[in-house]
């Protein structure tokens, strides 16, 4: 898109994402931090309490919105969670 802002992805090292950047981090490194938006990727399992706790930590770091990208084999389980 012409005129769209350009974003660069970089790892979050000091707990802050610089303006104009898209940061990424492991969930365990993001405990206690907040950001405007969270996109949780690589969700492959929902029946493990330890992993579900990590998902909760990740999704509650967002101030505005969160999205989950999950394995398509989990579609029925995800729909059951949100219905």
């Amino acid at each position: 898109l012409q005129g769209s802002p350009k974003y660069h992805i970089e790892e979050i090292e000091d707990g802050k994402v610089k303006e104009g950047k898209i940061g990424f981090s492991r969930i365990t490194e993001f405990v206690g931090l907040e950001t405007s938006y969270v996109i949780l990727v690589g969700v492959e399992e929902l029946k493990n309490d330890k992993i579900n706790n990590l998902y909760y930590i990740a999704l509650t770091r967002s101030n505005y919105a969160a999205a989950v990208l999950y394995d398509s084999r989990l579609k029925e389980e995800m729909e059951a969670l949100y219905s």
Side-chain angles (χ1 to χ4, degrees):
L1 297 169
Q2 195 171 27
S4 295
K6 293 182 180 179
Y7 291 96
H8 302 278
I9 298 175
E10 63 182 47
E11 188 168 4
I12 299 171
E13 295 179 3
D14 59 0
K16 297 180 182 176
V17 178
K18 297 174 184 86
E19 188 173 334
K21 304 285 184 181
I22 298 172
F24 72 93
S25 174
R26 291 172 187 81
I27 296 171
T28 55
E29 296 170 356
F30 215 73
V31 174
L33 303 175
E34 292 183 339
T35 189
S36 297
Y37 302 94
V38 169
I39 302 171
L40 182 59
V41 298
V43 174
E44 298 175 346
E45 183 178 354
L46 295 175
K47 294 183 179 180
N48 179 315
D49 288 339
K50 184 176 180 180
I51 291 174
N52 287 345
N53 186 53
L54 289 174
Y55 295 160
Y56 175 82
I57 290 168
L59 295 172
T60 57
R61 302 301 95 197
S62 169
N63 291 322
Y64 298 106
V68 179
L69 303 179
Y70 57 88
D71 188 305
S72 61
R73 293 174 288 184
L74 298 176
K75 183 178 180 181
E76 288 181 15
E77 290 178 60
M78 290 296 281
E79 287 174 350
L81 285 173
Y82 294 104
S83 59

